[in-house]
Amino acid sequence: MDYKIIADSCCDLPLDFIKENDIEIISLIINIDGKDLVDDMGETFDRDAFFEQLKNGSMATSSQVNIGTFMETFKKYVEKGQPVIFLGLSSALSGSYNNAVTAVKMLEEEYDNVDITIIDTKAACLGEGLLVYEAVNRKKEGQSLAEVVSWLEEYKMKLHSWVTVDDIKHLERTGRVSSVSATLGNVLNVKPIIVMNEKGGLVPFAKVRGRKKSLLYLINKTVDGIVNPENQTIFIGHVGVPEEAEWIKEEINSKIKVKDIQVYPYGPTIASHTGFGSIALFSFGEVRK
């Protein structure tokens, strides 16, 4: 039987791609201004309105997917004997991965043939999305579940994520930096550069003076680190700044020849932590350290 690809809503892929490729999405819940919203990849969730709330200073939080939701989702496929690959947000950022693993163990106590492979992507946002995208394309090419899983386990550690935020005060509000650092950063117009480390955690990498320099930094690091760009699709993510993301796309295209570059907005989970104006670039290079 054909295997099923499932992901959580942190993959941030566009809704039309999700539907065209019959990917099942397990949604996280976002709370903003006291209201719970389901991140359904934009089907009913208004990202632009959400970004505007962030821009105006609203704080948002996200809830991990609970064990019961995973069990309910996976059970459908177990009962009809369909194998599953689930790709989830990095375990270093959320307890969702561990809940997925626990759900599978509980199903194994109830059923004899549970064929569910859980992938800790060690990624977030469109980095996770790029892995889902590649898994879908490999499935279309006729690769087996085992082949796709093998590719994912190798290449997830070669996924490079370069991120900057525009609003350092947002990092202060979410507890990521101290108030002193945030105030100093604003006065000096410092823009932090953040990377995904080998454990799948988001960590500070550098500080750059000025927005334009921070974007050029992301471009140069991506271009310097990419391997076989002519065979790669690069993803660019943004929070409410599509013009800057498109400019980055043009700059990369002027420097290297790539197969494709796709630009999409972040989903609400990661945007909740980065604030309005964040931009991220995702590509494959050497194994990240």
Side-chain angles (χ1 to χ4, degrees):
M1 184 181 277
D2 192 17
Y3 57 93
K4 181 78 173 180
I5 294 177
I6 303 177
D8 63 38
S9 57
C10 287
C11 69
D12 295 348
L13 288 164
L15 188 59
D16 58 355
F17 181 84
I18 297 291
K19 288 187 169 180
E20 282 166 19
N21 294 286
D22 194 29
I23 305 165
E24 176 148 1
I25 296 295
I26 300 177
S27 296
L28 277 79
I29 306 297
I30 310 300
N31 184 284
I32 187 163
D33 295 337
K35 291 182 182 175
D36 279 343
L37 302 169
V38 178
D39 178 14
D40 58 6
M41 315 303 288
E43 191 148 25
T44 62
F45 194 104
D46 188 338
R47 287 191 194 186
D48 290 337
F50 179 78
F51 290 168
E52 197 62 28
Q53 286 175 280
L54 292 178
K55 188 178 181 181
N56 294 330
S58 289
M59 293 299 299
T61 57
S62 59
S63 303
Q64 65 190 34
V65 180
N66 62 44
I67 295 168
T69 299
F70 279 120
M71 285 190 73
E72 188 182 333
T73 304
F74 295 155
K75 193 173 185 177
K76 296 179 294 188
Y77 300 98
V78 172
E79 288 184 341
K80 61 183 176 181
Q82 185 172 13
V84 166
I85 303 175
F86 169 73
L87 295 91
L89 174 65
S90 172
S91 62
L93 300 177
S94 169
S96 288
Y97 167 78
N98 288 330
N99 287 347
V101 171
T102 300
V104 170
K105 287 177 181 171
M106 291 173 73
L107 287 168
E108 285 172 342
E109 291 172 7
E110 190 178 343
Y111 295 91
D112 292 330
N113 298 307
V114 177
D115 191 351
I116 299 172
T117 304
I118 308 291
I119 304 288
D120 179 1
T121 64
K122 308 282 187 191
C125 191
L126 285 157
E128 177 187 334
L130 186 52
L131 291 168
V132 176
Y133 174 85
E134 293 289 348
V136 166
N137 287 335
R138 279 163 171 72
K139 182 185 174 189
K140 281 183 182 173
E141 290 167 4
Q143 290 190 20
S144 68
L145 183 148
E147 287 171 320
V148 171
V149 167
S150 175
W151 185 92
L152 286 168
E153 290 295 351
E154 177 183 356
Y155 275 83
K156 72 183 187 183
M157 300 315 299
K158 296 180 179 180
L159 178 67
H160 292 195
S161 307
W162 291 99
V163 187
T164 191
V165 300
D166 193 40
D167 178 12
I168 199 168
K169 293 295 279 184
H170 189 89
L171 292 183
E172 178 201 348
R173 290 191 290 270
T174 56
R176 294 293 193 272
V177 299
S178 70
S179 57
V180 173
S181 295
T183 303
L184 251 171
N186 266 357
V187 170
L188 300 173
N189 197 22
V190 168
K191 308 298 180 186
I193 305 296
I194 301 163
V195 297
M196 190 75 73
N197 66 12
E198 77 281 359
K199 294 178 181 174
L202 285 166
V203 293
F205 184 83
K207 293 176 182 173
V208 182
R209 290 279 293 276
R211 175 68 166 179
K212 185 78 172 284
K213 284 185 179 176
S214 72
L215 301 185
L216 287 169
Y217 194 99
L218 300 187
I219 292 166
N220 291 334
K221 283 293 185 183
T222 298
V223 168
D224 291 347
I226 200 167
V227 172
N228 298 323
E230 64 280 358
N231 297 322
Q232 276 203 49
T233 297
I234 294 174
F235 277 5
I236 301 173
H238 69 89
V239 182
V241 285
E243 301 85 1
E244 287 182 318
E246 290 293 340
W247 175 78
I248 289 171
K249 177 178 177 177
E250 290 173 15
E251 287 294 304
I252 294 174
N253 274 325
S254 73
K255 293 174 183 291
I256 52 173
K257 182 176 176 162
V258 295
K259 181 179 173 184
D260 192 19
I261 301 178
Q262 299 183 22
V263 176
Y264 302 116
Y266 289 20
T269 300
I270 304 302
S272 299
H273 299 284
T274 62
F276 187 85
S278 180
I279 284 190
L281 275 63
F282 304 97
S283 59
F284 293 103
E286 300 295 344
V287 174
R288 59 174 130 140
K289 299 186 168 94

